Structure formats: C-alpha cells, structure tokens
Amino acid sequence: MQPEPLTETPALTNRPPEPRMYRVVAERIQELIAQQGIAPGERLPAERELAASLRVSRASLREALIALELGGVVEVRGGSGVYVCEAGASPAAVPEAGPGPFEVLSARSMIETEVAAMAAKHATASAVSAIRAALLEMERSHEDRSSNEQADRNFHLAIARASGNTALVGVVDYLWRQRSSLWHRLKEHYRTEELRKTTLLDHRAIYDAIAGSDPVAARSAMRAHLQRVNRTLAGGA
C-alpha cells in the first residue's frame, strides 16, 4: 500500500500573515484619536504618555507614528509634538512598508556583529583596503546625506565581502534594501547631529579592529554602533 503524499496543513497554509507591529500600534493610535475626540490640528499626548497608555515601547510607537505620517493621518513636528492632520484619520491610510526599522536593526545586530568578527579573521589586504576606501568616502561625504548613506552601505557590504562568505554578503545586502520610506522618515525626524558624528567614530573603530585582525573588538565595535543607532532612533527605549 502506497503511503499518502505529504501535504501542508491547511490551517498553516491558509493562515493570513500576522500584521506588523507598527500597523497594530498605528490602528490603536487611530482608535485613541477617535475615542478622545482629538480634532484635526490638535496635538497628541507626549510620546512617553502615549507609549505608557498604549503599553508599547517607544520604538514601536515611533514606527507607528511615522507610518501614520506617511499615510497623511498625523504630522510629526520636531521639538513640538505630533498633530492630527486636517484630513482626519483613516485605517486605510496606513501604508504597508515592509519590516519595521527596529525589526531590521535587530536582525542587523544579530548578523553583522558576527560578520565583522569573521572579517577580522579572514580579511585579505585588498578587502581591508576596500573597507578603508568606503570609510574615507563616508568621512568625505559627511555633509552630503545621500552620498554619505551610499558610502555607509558600501562600508558594511565591504565588511561582509571581507568575511569570505558570499551568502552573508547577500544577507547583509538584503537587510540594507529593507530601508523603506518608514526608515528614511524615522531617521529624518529623530537622527541627531551627535549620532551622525559618533557614527563616523564607530565606523573607524570597526575598521581598526578588522584591520588589526581582532575579531573580539570587531564584534564589540559593530554591536556598539548598531545599539547606538537603535537607542537614538527609539528615543532611549
């Protein structure tokens, strides 16, 4: 008697994907706006108060607020607060923007710290030169944000190539391509000048550790860098 062919469980194949956390929080913010009668042009509660009220982290709250801003529901005004837009709030206005920025940062922290350590072990002289070239370009283009971001990406990809593992190059490249409109708007609102300056110092420390063939220092420097970015964009969450 022939065994029946294996089939996927219908309950699993037909299950809709879980909504991204920032969309869930965005919907809760919209409900709060409606329940509290916050009118167009009025300011929402302060971030800490809003995060405590919704029982979410500052990081999830900021992602949700940026998603709502991209959807034309609220306006984030640096140093002033978050205001309801004149158009009002509509759940359909919240865009699907792929993985949230902090989800991507978490994945990068898990992967790129070990990639940096591998690069410190295996980098050839030419690979180290490529990392240094990207670092110098970052320093030269510090005031040009578009060029600086491209140099930043080149720096991290050069480290992945230096690891000697082409699969990891693909993974790092994939994670960098997840920098959606949500990421760019979040960075626009919350990245500080101090972070921009310390990022250069962080990258120099990462390069020095790799060039010095010190995997422990490379791993530590990469982790410190990504954690600093996370803390700044999340408001200390």
Side-chain angles (χ1 to χ4, degrees), residues 108-117 119 152 155-157 159-160 172 176 202-203 205-207 209-210 215-229:
R108 288 186 60 199
S109 185
M110 291 175 62
I111 293 166
E112 290 197 55
T113 51
E114 292 309 312
V115 170
D152 190 2
F155 177 82
H156 287 268
L157 283 174
I159 291 173
V172 172
W176 272 78
D202 287 350
H203 283 68
I206 295 166
Y207 166 75
I210 293 172
V216 174
R219 180 185 295 112
S220 178
M222 181 66 79
R223 181 180 294 113
H225 166 56
L226 293 172
Q227 286 178 345
R228 190 192 315 279
V229 174

Side-chain angles (χ1 to χ4, degrees), residues 3-9:
E4 293 185 6
L6 293 175
T7 58
E8 295 186 48
T9 305

Side-chain angles (χ1 to χ4, degrees), residues 119 122-134 154-155 157-159 161-164 207 210-211:
H122 303 300
T124 62
S126 62
V128 171
S129 294
I131 299 170
R132 183 173 185 274
N154 291 342
F155 177 82
L157 283 174
I159 291 173
R161 293 188 187 99
S163 74
Y207 166 75
I210 293 172

